[in-house]
Amino acid sequence: MAPVSEQLEPQGARADPAAAAATPLPGPPAGEEPRRENGGEWRPGSGESGAQPPAAPAEEGPGSPGCPGSAAAPEPPEGGWGWVVMLAAMWCNGAVFGIQNSCGVLFVSMLRLFGSSDDKQLVFKTAWVSSLSMGMVFFCSPIVSIFTDLFGCRKVAVIGAAVGLVGLLSSSFVSTIEPLYFTYGIVFACGCSFAYQPSLVILGHYFKKRLGLVNGIVTAGSSLFTVSLPFLLRVLLDSVDLFNTLRVLCILMFVLFLAGFTYKPLVPNTKDKEGGKKGKFKLPPAKKICNFSVFKVLSYRIWALGIPAALFGYFVPYVHLMNHVKERFGNSVPEEVLLLCLGITSGVGRLIFGRVADYIPGAKKIYLQVASFFFIGLMSMMIPLCNVFGALVAVCLFMGLFDGCFICIMAPIAFELVGAQDVSQAIGFLLGLMSVPMTVGPPIAGLLRDKLGTYDVAFYLAGVPPLIGGAILCFIPWVHERQKLKARAKPVDGETTEKMLENESTLVSDTTEKPAKELDSGF
C-alpha cells in the first residue's frame, strides 16, 4: 500500500520565484514539507487480526506549509463501495482459512486413497501436505507485504487468487501423494497468502471510524467457513471422490479471484508514485522495502521468539484430531462436530477477548496470549485422556475459545511494541517465523503415530511448546516498561543539555553587548 503522506506535493516546488526572492531570511523554504521519519508512511496490519487505520492528516489552512490544499490525503469514505470491499475481504478470509482449518477432513480421505498396508510412514508423509500448506501461507507474509506496498492490493490479490486456483485444480489430477507437496502445499498455499494479506490492507483505504467493526465482520468469515465447510466436505467426499471435491473447492477460489477486482485503491502504490505519469518504475531504497529495524526492539525480539516457540504443537490438532477420533471411536461419532466447536468458539473468543484487550493498558495485553497458550497446551494434553466423545467436545470448545484470544490481539500487541509505522512488517516478519513450527509440528506428530501406533504421545508433546512459549512471553511487559523508561530519560537529558547551552549562549551575548552599550554611551 502506498504511503498516504507522500501524496502531498511539496508546495515549494510550485512557489513563485518572486515571492521566494522577497524573503531573504535564512531557513528552510516556507513551502517545504516537514521531514517525516520512515517516509511518514502508514502500513496497515496483516494476518487474521486485521488492518489498522492511517493517522488523520493534520488540519492546516490552505496556505500552511506542506499542505497545498487540494493535494491533501483523502479521508476514508466510511462506507459506499467499501461495504463491497468488506464482503470481498470476508469471502477471502473464509475461503483461505476455511479450507486450511478443514484439512483434517481431507487428511482422512488422503490416507484412505493413497494408503497401503506396506507403507509404515503413511501418516508422516500425508501430514506434510496440510502442514506445508498452512506453513507457506505464513511463510510468504513478509514477501506479500513488500509486493503489496510496491504494486498495490488489487494486482497482488488477483494474481494470488489465480495462482491458488491453478494449484488447487492441479492437485485434483495427481495419482500419488508426493506431487501434492508442490501443487497443494506450495502453489495453492502461496496463492492463498498473496490473496489474503491485501484483503486486510485494503480495508484501511475505506474505513477508519468503523474499522473495528469491519475487521470483526471480515475475520468472522474464517469462523463461518470453518463451521460449515467440514460438513460440506464430508458430503462431497461421500458422494464423489477426493479429486472431484478439490475441483468443487476451486469454485471458492474462482470467486476469490473475482473478489480481488473490487479492491479499488484510494491512494497510489509505490510503483505509481515512483513512476509518475511517464510509466517508469524505480525501486525505492532497500531500507524502505525491508524494514529490519523492528528487530532492534528487545521486547519485539522476545515476542518473535516466544510465539514461534509456542506454535510447534498448535496445528497438530487441526491435522490429526479427525484421524485420532476415527481410530478411537470408529465411525460411530460425527468427528466433524469437533471442527464445528473449534470454529464457533474461536469466533466468540475473538469478539470477547478483543473487547477485553481494549481495557488492558500497554504491553500487559501480552498476558492474554500467555493465558491462551497455557490453556491451548493444557487442552492438547487432555485429548488422549478423553475416552468419551462428549469430553472431546468440551476440550475443543475451550481450545477454540483461547485460539480466538491468541489471534485477535496480535495486531494490538504489535502496535504497543513497535509503533504504528512499523506494525505491518513487524507482523509480516512474525508470521514468517511462525511458518517454521507450524510446518514441522504435524509431520513430527505423524511420525510418532507411525512409530508408536497411537496419537497419545504426540498430543502430550504438542501441549509442551505452548507452555514454554507462554513462559517466554511473560518477560515482555517488564522488558517493555524498562525500554519506555529509558526512552523517556533520553529526551529529558537532551532537553536539559539544550537548555544549559541556551543559557550559556545568553550569558555570552549579554557580556558582549554590555561593553558595546558602554562605549556608545560615552563611558
Side-chain angles (χ1 to χ4, degrees), residues 403-434:
D403 171 75
C405 172
F406 155 65
I407 291 173
C408 73
I409 58 175
M410 292 279 287
I413 291 175
F415 265 85
E416 293 291 342
L417 298 184
V418 301
Q421 287 188 345
D422 298 327
V423 70
S424 176
Q425 294 209 16
I427 294 179
F429 288 134
L430 178 65
L431 294 178
L433 293 172
M434 287 166 52

Side-chain angles (χ1 to χ4, degrees), residues 20 71 87 217 335 401:
L87 293 176
I217 296 174
E335 63 269 15
L401 185 69

Side-chain angles (χ1 to χ4, degrees), residues 471-485:
I472 295 174
L473 297 182
C474 288
F475 293 98
I476 292 180
W478 176 73
V479 172
H480 189 65
E481 287 301 320
R482 287 186 55 123
Q483 288 177 319
K484 288 172 66 174
L485 291 175

Side-chain angles (χ1 to χ4, degrees), residues 42 111 155 195 206 217 255 269 271 290 395 422 455 496:
W42 164 80
L111 287 176
K155 293 179 181 178
Y206 288 89
I217 296 174
V255 176
N269 55 56
K271 180 179 183 296
C290 291
V395 165
D422 298 327
Y455 278 111
T496 304

Side-chain angles (χ1 to χ4, degrees), residues 124-182:
F124 171 71
K125 293 180 180 179
T126 309
W128 273 109
V129 178
S130 300
S131 60
L132 265 178
S133 181
M134 180 61 86
M136 288 302 296
V137 170
F138 292 103
F139 181 77
C140 294
S141 294
I143 304 173
V144 179
S145 298
I146 295 171
F147 274 81
T148 302
D149 288 342
L150 290 177
F151 301 103
C153 297
R154 178 188 287 175
K155 293 179 181 178
V156 175
V158 169
I159 294 175
V163 172
L165 176 61
V166 171
L168 190 59
L169 184 61
S170 59
S171 298
S172 65
F173 293 99
V174 301
S175 57
T176 59
I177 192 70
E178 285 78 11
L180 286 175
Y181 298 153
F182 177 73

Side-chain angles (χ1 to χ4, degrees), residues 44-52 93 196 199-201 203 211 215-216 218-219 407-408 410-412 415 423 427:
S46 61
E48 268 190 62
S49 50
Q52 298 295 331
N93 202 300
Y196 165 69
S199 71
L200 299 179
V201 173
L203 296 177
L211 192 58
N215 277 325
V218 168
T219 55
I407 291 173
C408 73
M410 292 279 287
F415 265 85
V423 70
I427 294 179

Side-chain angles (χ1 to χ4, degrees), residues 118 221 325 389 477:
D118 299 332
V325 172
F389 185 71

Side-chain angles (χ1 to χ4, degrees), residues 23-95:
T23 57
L25 294 175
E32 185 174 86
E33 201 173 323
R35 183 178 179 184
R36 309 185 185 193
E37 286 190 16
N38 200 22
E41 67 181 277
W42 164 80
R43 298 175 180 268
S46 61
E48 268 190 62
S49 50
Q52 298 295 331
E59 294 182 4
E60 298 175 279
S64 301
C67 183
S70 60
E75 282 289 328
E78 302 293 341
W81 186 252
W83 297 118
V84 179
V85 174
M86 181 200 71
L87 293 176
M90 181 180 178
W91 181 274
C92 175
N93 202 300

